[in-house]
Amino acid sequence: MVGKLEPMNGAAKPTVPAPAPDLLSANTFSLKTLKLKTKQQEILIRVTILGLVYILAFITRLFSVLRYESMIHEFDPYFNYRTTLYLTEKGFYEFWNWFDSESWYPLGRIIGGTLYPGLMVTAALIYWTIRFLSFAVHIREVCVLTAPFFASNTTIVAYFFGKELWDSGAGLVAAALIAICPGYISRSVAGSYDNEGVAIFALLLTFYLFVKAVNSGSLAWALGSAFGYFYMVSAWGGYVFIINLIPLYVLVLLITGRYSMRLYVAYNCTYILGMLLAMQIRFVGFQHVQSGEHMAAMGVFFLMQVFYFLDWVKHMLNDPKLFQAFLKITVTFAVGVGALALGVGTASGYISPWTGRFYSLLDPTYAKDHIPIIASVSEHQPTAWSSFMFDFHILLYLFPAGLYFCFKRLSDATIFIVMYGLTSMYFAGVMVRLILVATPAMCLISAIAVSATIKNLTQLLRGKSKVAPTSSGKGSSSTKASSKGSVDQSLPFQRNGAIALLVGALYLLSRYAIHCTWVTSEAYSSPSIVLAARGAHGQRVIFDDYREAYFWLRQNTPSDAKVMSWWDYGYQITAMGNRTVIVDNNTWNNTHIATVGRAMSSYEDEAYDIMRSLDVDYVLVVFGGVTGYSSDDINKFLWMVRIGGGVFPIIKEPDYLVNGEYRVDKGAAPKMLNCLMYKLSYYRFGELTTEYGKPPGYDRARGVEIGNKDVKLEYLEEAFTTSNWIVRIYKVKPPKNRW
């Protein structure tokens, strides 16, 4: 009976009080509650893991702040910081109509029409929100921490994207992988206040919402994708990748017979609304309807209308033969009209051709042959295999496995991630910088491989061995039993193999975490404006010459002084030195940059005439011969010659080489030993002993003794040299009295 307990150790059977049905209902309620709690526990575990990953993504990017201080890194971020500061102080209207007379003297620059304002507006909104909440914070701190904040947000998007592509397990793994992946951290550490800091979040959000719209056919998700695309356009020029990948994906679905109303609604809404919103960005304008780089999206849009029309005609016509004839006529007519419109638009100049940057993505040698200013940037060089291993580690091996699982379970969503992964990996091989674009795809596809593999292995471990049935019946049944028994006997070996594979997978993932932490700490958390090295006894040595030089400029030169330097340092001079520059990192005017290159590669008297024509008061050069700093102007000098020679044929690269070799020692070319850049870099250097056992004038960056130790300056004079000789500033002398 239910109302009695079983006897224990021979004791008498105690009688339970009367209300036995209540106890049964309580047990039933407890089981139901336990089942509900299990579901809640699963959700709680996911939320907890995602929260920890969110925090991890933020704090792992703070190495630079902990090791140095809260500062802006690199070169371009200083322009972004300067414009953000102007926005918060003057307001959006003044920012949007700002004419900057301190850049590109004497031309100037229209700020609102020559930048992507998304980063600045985002940081300003965060700053105003924090101030509204009565927290005292400087805009610089907001700029420093914007990239880590959006990196954390990217992990949330990666989770939902992985869940949409595969399952929640893949989403969690994707969030964890992208949180610490060096390929993403390189552009999202604290202080890296660049467009990519928010653009990768916008890119992944746009892709996720579009895939969600394709899977559901919901207009709301398509609208969200359009707004995500608008934010991407406002933040970074890499939006061109989106506006070409999505049409390519849609075209593949059309070719493979996967056309549906869901796809029609998702693409049409995203393209039309996204294009209209993108046109509100002044720097983009009407490029979506006038640029050759955007024509693929427009062509696929019209192709979608043709497919919709054909689908309607097929529904109206019941005769298959008649529809086939109509199909041939319609497709031929549509292709002909499209080709004619494209030809007329291109011939008339309404549709502009592809830009040099776009060509350089399709042909890695194009920039070197035709646009040296693009090829001169180190991050535009083709990617070495070591860089892939450095930034992706085990993801390189998980990526093919993830592609296998995607092809095994092919769907509209997995087709998209496969195309995203393959195209982005190609572009990452063409240009080092684009490793950043490939990183989300690598993490998502690798997460699918990890999730599917671990799920399969754990299912194998959970499987219960089945006892082989014994039967004395027919021979056929005994044969089946023996066969099943042999399978069951192999189950322990499968379990052991599964355990070994699981341990191996966890070990590789742990090595990935260790590698990512080391790379983040040692390679990607050093601000280029403050250099660090190890002394002879292993102690840490800090070189703060850049800020020392810019502080000297701000304190010791007239407020209207014009500074000439190579374009790399323009943004920093304007933002930190508060002085007018001739060229900067915007590189919009190749002729102006070539003029500076011509001055640097000319003899001093010829360069003096060029500098006087530009009203130059000071010349700044970066020199690493004392410290061994290799990213100095002497190592960049050949690019100055190439860019200058591209506009001014009088500058010829062979004049600075000896038998095709670039040298600065006694065997260097005569023009090299007497050009302005050589003189400004090595002035008084021949008197200096830089290393024990080496002669005076030994260049530690190039490992040679310089060829011209007796440098004399006639038209310039040394104004300031930093403590480690990394930055040298010279004053241009006024013209001599003609009387």
Side-chain angles (χ1 to χ4, degrees):
M1 293 178 63
V2 176
K4 295 184 180 180
L5 297 178
E6 293 296 327
M8 297 179 62
N9 298 329
K13 298 181 180 179
T15 304
V16 179
D22 292 338
L23 182 61
L24 181 61
S25 62
N27 289 336
T28 307
F29 177 76
S30 175
L31 291 174
K32 289 182 179 180
T33 306
L34 184 61
K35 186 176 182 180
L36 184 62
K37 285 184 178 179
T38 303
K39 185 67 175 178
Q40 290 177 339
Q41 287 174 1
E42 183 181 346
I43 297 174
L44 180 61
I45 290 174
R46 289 183 194 170
V47 173
T48 303
I49 293 175
L50 201 55
L52 292 175
V53 169
Y54 187 93
I55 297 171
L56 174 64
F58 186 84
I59 62 175
T60 194
R61 288 162 168 80
L62 301 182
F63 278 109
S64 59
V65 175
L66 299 176
R67 290 192 169 187
Y68 297 90
E69 60 181 273
S70 179
M71 68 174 76
I72 306 294
H73 296 191
E74 301 296 337
F75 300 105
D76 289 6
Y78 275 92
F79 169 77
N80 299 331
Y81 169 66
R82 177 169 170 254
T83 52
T84 306
L85 183 63
Y86 189 93
L87 172 61
T88 55
E89 292 177 350
K90 304 289 186 179
F92 184 78
Y93 183 81
E94 293 294 330
F95 163 77
W96 203 235
N97 296 282
W98 177 21
F99 179 80
D100 183 15
S101 59
E102 295 184 1
S103 301
W104 292 89
Y105 181 86
L107 305 174
R109 177 182 177 185
I110 302 172
I111 298 297
T114 57
L115 55 63
Y116 296 100
L119 176 68
M120 301 83 180
V121 174
T122 299
L125 289 175
I126 295 174
Y127 171 74
W128 288 328
T129 302
I130 294 175
R131 298 286 290 184
F132 177 76
L133 297 175
S134 301
F135 290 99
V137 64
H138 193 273
I139 184 61
R140 186 189 66 185
E141 310 306 325
V142 175
C143 294
V144 167
L145 298 177
T146 294
F149 172 66
F150 273 88
S152 296
N153 295 337
T154 303
T155 61
I156 303 297
V157 179
Y159 165 74
F160 286 105
F161 201 178
K163 184 178 179 181
E164 186 70 21
L165 293 170
W166 203 256
D167 56 24
S168 58
L172 289 175
V173 176
L177 292 178
I178 202 170
I180 59 174
C181 184
Y184 184 28
I185 286 180
S186 63
R187 290 287 184 154
S188 60
V189 294
S192 182
Y193 185 57
D194 212 347
N195 294 329
E196 295 91 333
V198 300
I200 295 302
F201 164 78
L203 179 139
L204 200 60
L205 179 65
T206 304
F207 284 157
Y208 161 65
L209 293 175
F210 182 76
V211 171
K212 188 79 173 176
V214 171
N215 285 342
S216 63
S218 170
L219 188 62
W221 292 114
L223 290 173
S225 178
F227 280 101
Y229 175 70
F230 168 63
Y231 185 51
M232 176 66 184
V233 173
S234 71
W236 191 34
Y239 78 88
V240 176
F241 179 69
I242 294 179
I243 202 61
N244 283 280
L245 177 61
I246 288 180
L248 181 62
Y249 163 68
V250 173
L251 183 63
V252 169
L253 291 186
L254 294 179
I255 293 174
T256 55
R258 290 178 173 268
Y259 169 79
S260 64
M261 283 303 298
R262 294 180 288 104
L263 181 64
Y264 183 83
V265 170
Y267 183 74
N268 285 343
C269 179
T270 300
Y271 175 70
I272 294 296
L273 183 58
M275 177 181 64
L276 293 175
L277 290 172
M279 287 181 178
Q280 311 311 309
I281 307 299
R282 288 172 60 188
F283 193 35
V284 177
F286 291 94
Q287 290 186 28
H288 281 75
V289 294
Q290 292 182 339
S291 172
E293 299 167 1
H294 302 75
M295 287 299 105
M298 181 179 292
V300 171
F301 170 74
F302 285 116
L303 186 62
M304 287 287 289
Q305 313 316 312
V306 172
F307 263 78
Y308 182 81
F309 176 68
L310 291 174
D311 191 53
W312 176 76
V313 171
K314 185 178 180 180
H315 177 72
M316 298 297 295
L317 296 176
N318 294 325
D319 189 355
K321 293 183 179 180
L322 187 61
F323 175 73
Q324 290 295 329
F326 181 80
L327 177 63
K328 293 179 181 179
I329 297 173
T330 305
V331 171
T332 304
F333 178 76
V335 172
V337 170
L340 180 63
L342 182 62
V344 171
T346 305
S348 63
Y350 179 81
I351 299 176
S352 61
W354 289 348
T355 62
R357 293 180 184 271
F358 198 82
Y359 275 118
S360 63
L361 291 177
L362 302 177
D363 180 9
T365 63
Y366 180 84
K368 186 176 181 180
D369 297 336
H370 299 90
I371 315 176
I373 195 170
I374 295 179
S376 67
V377 183
S378 59
E379 62 185 18
H380 292 168
Q381 302 302 315
T383 310
W385 273 109
S386 57
S387 298
F388 280 115
M389 194 64 194
F390 193 73
D391 285 340
F392 291 141
H393 199 246
I394 63 167
L395 302 187
L396 280 177
Y397 306 103
L398 294 175
F399 181 74
L403 291 178
Y404 164 76
F405 283 109
C406 289
F407 278 109
K408 191 176 180 181
R409 201 172 89 181
L410 209 59
S411 64
D412 291 350
T414 54
I415 289 175
F416 178 84
I417 197 61
V418 167
M419 294 185 61
Y420 176 25
L422 295 178
T423 53
S424 62
M425 281 300 290
Y426 167 76
F427 291 125
V430 172
M431 192 176 290
V432 177
R433 183 182 186 182
L434 296 182
I435 282 181
L436 180 69
V437 177
T439 299
M442 289 288 291
C443 293
L444 286 166
I445 295 176
S446 300
I448 290 174
V450 172
S451 176
T453 302
I454 292 180
K455 186 175 182 180
N456 292 338
L457 292 176
T458 51
Q459 285 179 348
L460 187 60
L461 288 176
R462 289 174 185 165
K464 295 181 179 179
S465 58
K466 299 178 181 179
V467 180
T470 57
S471 174
S472 58
K474 298 180 180 179
S476 61
S477 58
S478 64
T479 304
K480 290 180 181 179
S482 61
S483 174
K484 195 169 185 179
S486 63
V487 172
D488 292 334
Q489 289 174 3
S490 67
L491 194 58
F493 299 100
Q494 293 180 1
R495 288 184 174 179
N496 294 336
I499 293 173
L501 290 175
L502 275 176
V503 172
L506 294 177
Y507 173 75
L508 290 177
L509 292 174
S510 66
R511 297 305 304 177
Y512 171 76
I514 294 171
H515 171 80
C516 293
T517 306
W518 177 80
V519 170
T520 304
S521 173
E522 298 296 329
Y524 291 145
S525 295
S526 300
S528 62
I529 197 168
V530 177
L531 309 174
R534 294 291 177 184
H537 303 288
Q539 75 277 16
R540 194 158 172 252
V541 181
I542 298 295
F543 303 117
D544 204 359
D545 290 50
Y546 280 106
R547 294 195 296 181
E548 180 186 353
Y550 300 145
F551 182 78
W552 185 91
L553 272 176
R554 189 168 66 249
Q555 297 294 325
N556 297 279
T557 60
S559 58
D560 60 346
K562 288 84 178 176
V563 181
M564 184 180 83
S565 69
W566 192 232
W567 61 265
D568 291 23
Y569 321 109
Y571 280 163
Q572 290 183 348
I573 294 172
T574 308
M576 302 186 72
N578 197 24
R579 293 297 176 263
T580 303
V581 295
I582 307 301
V583 293
D584 61 27
N585 310 56
N586 190 32
T587 66
W588 67 277
N589 191 317
N590 188 61
T591 303
H592 216 49
I593 294 176
T595 303
V596 174
R598 180 184 179 185
M600 294 295 191
S601 54
S602 300
Y603 294 120
E604 187 181 358
D605 56 342
E606 299 171 354
Y608 182 73
D609 294 335
I610 298 173
M611 290 186 289
R612 293 299 303 168
S613 68
L614 294 173
D615 295 336
V616 174
D617 298 306
Y618 293 88
V619 181
L620 182 147
V621 297
V622 174
F623 174 61
V626 176
T627 59
Y629 178 53
S630 60
S631 298
D632 64 351
D633 285 341
I634 290 292
N635 281 348
K636 297 175 183 177
F637 179 68
L638 281 184
W639 288 112
M640 303 182 194
V641 173
R642 291 165 185 163
I643 295 171
V647 177
F648 304 103
I650 193 174
I651 304 296
K652 296 180 174 60
E653 184 177 350
D655 294 343
Y656 303 87
L657 305 176
V658 177
N659 297 325
E661 184 181 0
Y662 180 54
R663 303 176 63 175
V664 297
D665 57 3
K666 293 179 180 179
K671 193 162 188 179
M672 178 67 202
L673 294 174
N674 293 281
C675 68
L676 181 66
M677 176 56 69
Y678 192 95
K679 284 188 168 185
L680 298 185
S681 296
Y682 291 117
Y683 179 69
R684 293 195 301 110
F685 184 71
E687 310 164 2
L688 187 67
T689 301
T690 59
E691 193 170 318
Y692 178 76
K694 300 293 183 181
Y698 180 76
D699 188 336
R700 297 181 64 193
R702 280 148 286 277
V704 296
E705 181 183 357
I706 63 171
N708 184 5
K709 295 185 180 181
D710 189 24
V711 175
K712 302 293 184 183
L713 294 175
E714 182 179 355
Y715 298 96
L716 294 94
E717 60 183 357
E718 184 179 10
F720 180 72
T721 297
T722 55
S723 54
N724 296 293
W725 284 54
I726 292 179
V727 182
R728 311 196 70 184
I729 302 173
Y730 294 86
K731 184 177 181 180
V732 180
K733 294 180 180 179
K736 295 180 180 179
N737 193 336
R738 300 176 188 176
W739 298 97

